[in-house]
Amino acid sequence: MTDMPTPRGKLTPDRSLSDLTWLRVGGPADFLFQPADTEDLAAFLAALDPEVAVFPMGVGSNLIVRDGGLRAVVVRMGRGFNGIEVEGNRVTAGAAALDAHVARKAADGGVDLTFLRTIPGAVGGAVRMNAGCYGTYTADVFVKAQAVTRAGEVVTLTAEDLNFRYRQTDLPEGWVITEAVFEGPAGGPEELHARMAAQLKKRDETQPTKDRTAGSTFRNPAGFSSTGRADDVHDLKAWKVIDDAGMRGARRGGAQMSEKHSNFLINTGDATAADLEGLGEDVRKKVFQSSGIELHWEIMRVGEPAPDSQ
């Protein structure tokens, strides 16, 4: 591989990624880069050979890294990127700030970003994936974001630049979000905290939060979302079509579709990335055969299969 720039942050060659993802699977990245701050990240990307792929990684809550690993520099933000500030109705959060922490800190300041409380992940991923819950999406509260381009320029991104859609945006390949600004409606801190406590209770009752999962496996078909409202219809939810195809609790190797919520993929202990992705593909095939509906992955899958499985 080409000579690497020397950053102020930490650059580790051939670093296994399995312990950095919620599903605890995956091979090594060529390099793992943990930048000290935005300037360090910008200088590093500017000096990095343009041929080298860059993959920004959050807390790995929505990710399967394949068993052969990633031929890329994986950028993972740490302490220098997890600040949260509340001013009036605006909340500025670093890309590494956990969604749950942002919701709590915002509530302390009387700003309603409660939908973020139960979203597993950090701010960078929430922006990149337009994360949402209870009928509210990141796009609904988004003001602007700061990112570093693959060429090392620090830029400001608007909602128009990102073109938010259901679970996706147009963030260019290799660009790394460093912080975002949100604006939420005002609310009383006590009421906001009480609402989040109720959301958490409901989540723990209906989702396998004690298991090793990566959140929802598939998007709800055709952009239908679970709003959590009482009048919410359940005719086109991913879990429902998976149930109808008889795939609740289905297994492959160490991977299983949760018995508790059939749109959650679980590592029961010794699953490989190939087990998990393979089971997901089994589910997609079964659902298509039984209902004609094509499920789309919500979990991002990256990297190469193990050399012997090709």
Side-chain angles (χ1 to χ4, degrees):
M1 197 154 180
T2 48
D3 288 340
M4 300 301 279
T6 307
R8 284 180 288 116
K10 193 175 175 192
L11 185 65
T12 313
D14 203 34
R15 171 66 159 84
S16 169
L17 299 176
S18 59
D19 63 317
L20 300 181
T21 72
W22 284 31
L23 281 166
R24 292 288 184 267
V25 294
D30 286 346
F31 287 90
L32 177 72
F33 176 38
Q34 296 156 284
D37 49 35
T38 303
E39 290 69 33
D40 187 36
L41 174 62
F44 178 86
L45 290 180
L48 183 65
D49 179 343
E51 295 297 306
V52 177
V54 169
F55 179 74
M57 181 174 171
V59 290
S61 61
N62 190 38
L63 187 66
I64 292 174
V65 177
R66 296 187 179 107
D67 302 304
L70 263 174
R71 306 291 73 81
V73 173
V74 171
V75 178
R76 194 168 195 264
M77 324 290 245
R79 274 191 287 258
F81 297 89
N82 64 3
I84 305 167
E85 286 169 30
V86 184
E87 280 181 51
N89 276 23
R90 288 201 169 184
V91 178
T92 302
L98 294 176
D99 299 333
H101 291 178
V102 175
R104 289 208 301 258
K105 193 96 180 261
D108 291 343
V111 181
D112 180 358
L113 295 178
T114 52
F115 79 97
L116 285 171
R117 180 64 184 89
T118 58
I119 294 176
V123 163
V127 171
R128 187 173 72 202
M129 291 294 294
N130 190 19
C133 207
Y134 303 111
T136 304
Y137 292 88
T138 304
D140 299 327
V141 297
F142 180 84
V143 178
K144 61 182 178 180
Q146 183 189 70
V148 179
T149 70
R150 177 59 187 81
E153 293 170 75
V154 180
V155 296
T156 298
L157 298 170
T158 64
E160 286 71 31
D161 295 330
L162 286 167
N163 186 20
F164 287 106
R165 297 181 301 294
Y166 178 63
R167 296 288 187 263
Q168 56 186 320
T169 56
D170 289 345
L171 187 72
E173 191 87 14
W175 288 30
V176 184
I177 293 168
T178 52
E179 70 170 32
V181 180
F182 305 121
E183 191 167 282
E190 277 182 24
E191 182 227 341
L192 296 175
H193 280 288
R195 190 190 306 167
M196 291 190 291
Q199 287 172 0
L200 277 182
K201 184 169 179 290
K202 183 181 170 188
R203 180 190 72 175
D204 291 346
E205 285 166 2
T206 58
Q207 296 178 7
T209 49
K210 303 275 186 290
D211 291 317
R212 220 175 258 181
T213 80
S216 298
T217 305
F218 301 106
R219 301 177 195 168
N220 286 313
F224 285 76
S225 68
S226 303
T227 63
R229 293 197 308 260
D231 63 349
D232 193 6
V233 289
H234 287 263
D235 53 349
L236 265 183
K237 295 296 181 295
W239 72 262
K240 179 76 169 70
V241 297
I242 292 168
D243 270 10
D244 292 349
M247 294 300 278
R248 181 183 288 260
R251 303 182 80 111
R252 178 191 263 226
Q256 182 183 13
M257 298 312 290
S258 169
E259 293 279 6
K260 190 169 186 179
H261 188 311
S262 52
N263 192 27
F264 279 70
L265 188 55
I266 296 171
N267 179 352
T268 62
D270 57 355
T272 61
D275 289 342
L276 291 158
E277 190 171 11
L279 178 57
E281 289 300 327
D282 291 346
V283 169
R284 291 184 66 230
K285 196 166 156 185
K286 259 308 191 8
V287 165
F288 189 73
Q289 284 168 355
S290 88
S291 65
I293 288 170
E294 191 175 347
L295 286 177
H296 293 280
W297 283 90
E298 183 162 320
I299 296 175
M300 197 184 241
R301 289 116 35 244
V302 297
E304 302 175 347
D308 56 0
S309 71
Q310 283 173 350

